[in-house]
Amino acid sequence: MVIEDIEVAPPQANEVRIKIVASAVCHTDLYHLFEGMHEDGFPAVLGHEAAGVIESVGSGVTEFQPGDKVIPLFIAQCRECRFCKNPNSNQCEKGWAADRYDVMSTEDSRFTCKGKKVLQFMGTSTFSQYTVMNQMCVAKIDPAAPLDKVCLLGCGVCTGFGAAVNTAKVEPGSTCAVFGLGAVGLAAVMGCKFAGAKRIFAVDTNPDKFEKAKVFGATDFLNPKDHAKPVSAVLAELTGGGVDYALECVGNVGVMRSALESCVKGWGVSVLVGWTDMHDVAARPIQLIAGRTWKGSLFGGFKSKDGVPEMVKAYLDKKVKLDEFITHTMTLAQVNDAVDLMKKGKCIRTVLSVSPQ
């Protein structure tokens, strides 16, 4: 990534221009840069986990006014389509994901650089001092919320926490296993604890993550490298047949299979949380015939405009943690250093200071 001066056009009808105050680096930014690398997805302004302040509004905008604190959303909530009206889904027919989820960048952006169009990543593009978004992709939040903390609710924390609470629907007294202890996985651990799980196995090949997982509620730790047999067999021995819930928070199809196989037959539920669209995922039919459920979760199942302000309130009420995810703070100019930290597994979340508040 390079730092460039860009032009950010004024908001058009139903759009708002947001001054980004803080933006965290999420693994999905790295996925687009180093794994997905779709040929039609560049040049783009990356970043999608952020918080800021409304700078100006376009015609037809009544929900927001300059000065409002907001969180940009990579999932729209138009409230009118069949998905928005269905209580069982947080998908929306509007927004970038409706038809360009593979490219991950929208052509219709308000960004130009040296006279050329620059794409908008995941409909947000928050590694910029300003961004322009449709009002159906923006959540108005409590004015008391610290933007350099609640920015994490724009993606990772809601994704993991909601996968446990909303998608898996973890029950009190249950046993859970969370695979991958990045920010999403740690948020999933926090969600399992919030839901009343009795035993929470944190699974990762990096033992440095285990102390952090304990802070969020993990009770047991498994490093697959420490065992000769598959981690699913180890979990089966420790739990009398497998866990009730297993959440895959890596975005690796092999780990997805391990998570499914770690579930107890009859009622075990495994949830795919980690983002990837690179390879097919495989399993033996008998795993599902035996009564296991395999499901996916996008943004933790939260309807975006409704769920994010609720999570901000939960943080302000000290019901969920955010500060503990933040291991580093940097400036926007140091974005490549932040990416390097994440590539090497040396951070949970790095928050970039983008604009003075």
Side-chain angles (χ1 to χ4, degrees), residues 101-112:
Y101 76 91
D102 54 339
V103 182
M104 298 185 76
S105 294
T106 48
E107 291 178 296
D108 184 23
S109 88
R110 303 287 168 259
F111 300 133
T112 50

Side-chain angles (χ1 to χ4, degrees), residues 53-57 64-68:
V53 178
I54 297 290
E55 178 267 341
S56 58
V57 302
F64 302 98
Q65 56 190 19
D68 286 346

Side-chain angles (χ1 to χ4, degrees), residues 79-91 301 303:
R79 304 189 191 279
E80 296 169 357
C81 72
R82 62 192 178 122
F83 292 98
C84 283
K85 289 180 176 178
N86 188 318
N88 300 314
S89 172
N90 67 342
Q91 309 278 318
K303 286 186 182 287

Side-chain angles (χ1 to χ4, degrees), residues 9-26:
Q12 298 183 12
N14 300 310
E15 294 179 344
V16 296
R17 187 159 59 187
I18 304 167
K19 177 185 177 183
I20 300 294
V21 172
S23 182
V25 178
C26 169

